[in-house]
Amino acid sequence: MRRRGSTMVESALVTTTFIFLLVAIMDFGRLGFTYNSLTYAAHRAARFAATNGSTSAQPATQPTIQSNVQSNLVALDTSSKSLTVTVTWPSNNNNPGSQVQVVVAYKFQPLLIPVSSTVLTLKSTSTEYITQ
């Protein structure tokens, strides 16, 4: 009888540890997916801004670049409380030959710390030369 009780306790401990590790692996997967999505969105938005300079038919602006970032982020919360898009033109113009820099920041809430207010801020930067 004592042996059966110890087996239940051991099973409970092993199962709890296994589930914790499984959730941790899933959370790191979510983190990697989120970072890759941010990097892709920043790159695509910078490319959009670079090909829509001041000489194009529809020059890129902060709102159009931000909507481009939002359209490239799939399965993420793109509300203003979790996503920040910053666009800068280091030479202060949108002319061909100048640079455009897009910084995308996202507030990532881990699953393992749901009661904590700890939020990881993931950030990706992409810089391109304006071609037209």
Side-chain angles (χ1 to χ4, degrees), residues 23-109:
V23 171
I25 290 169
M26 289 183 345
D27 216 10
F28 278 115
R30 278 184 53 236
L31 180 70
F33 172 78
T34 302
Y35 184 73
N36 283 340
S37 296
L38 288 180
T39 302
Y40 177 77
H43 170 71
R44 295 303 301 162
R47 183 71 183 141
F48 171 78
T51 56
N52 290 296
S54 61
T55 60
S56 71
Q58 294 180 333
T61 61
Q62 171 83 23
T64 58
I65 295 171
Q66 184 161 2
S67 70
N68 186 283
V69 168
Q70 289 175 336
S71 68
N72 283 308
L73 287 176
V74 181
L76 296 179
D77 178 21
T78 58
S79 65
S80 61
K81 66 179 180 169
S82 12
L83 180 69
T84 307
V85 179
T86 308
V87 181
T88 55
W89 288 271
S91 57
N92 293 326
N93 64 37
N94 198 7
N95 298 328
S98 300
Q99 286 185 331
V100 60
Q101 183 179 49
V102 178
V103 180
V104 181
Y106 185 78
K107 294 178 182 171
F108 179 80
Q109 177 68 50

Side-chain angles (χ1 to χ4, degrees), residues 6-21:
S6 66
T7 304
M8 283 182 28
V9 170
E10 287 175 10
S11 296
L13 290 174
V14 169
T15 302
T16 304
T17 305
F18 177 73
I19 290 174
F20 179 78
L21 287 174

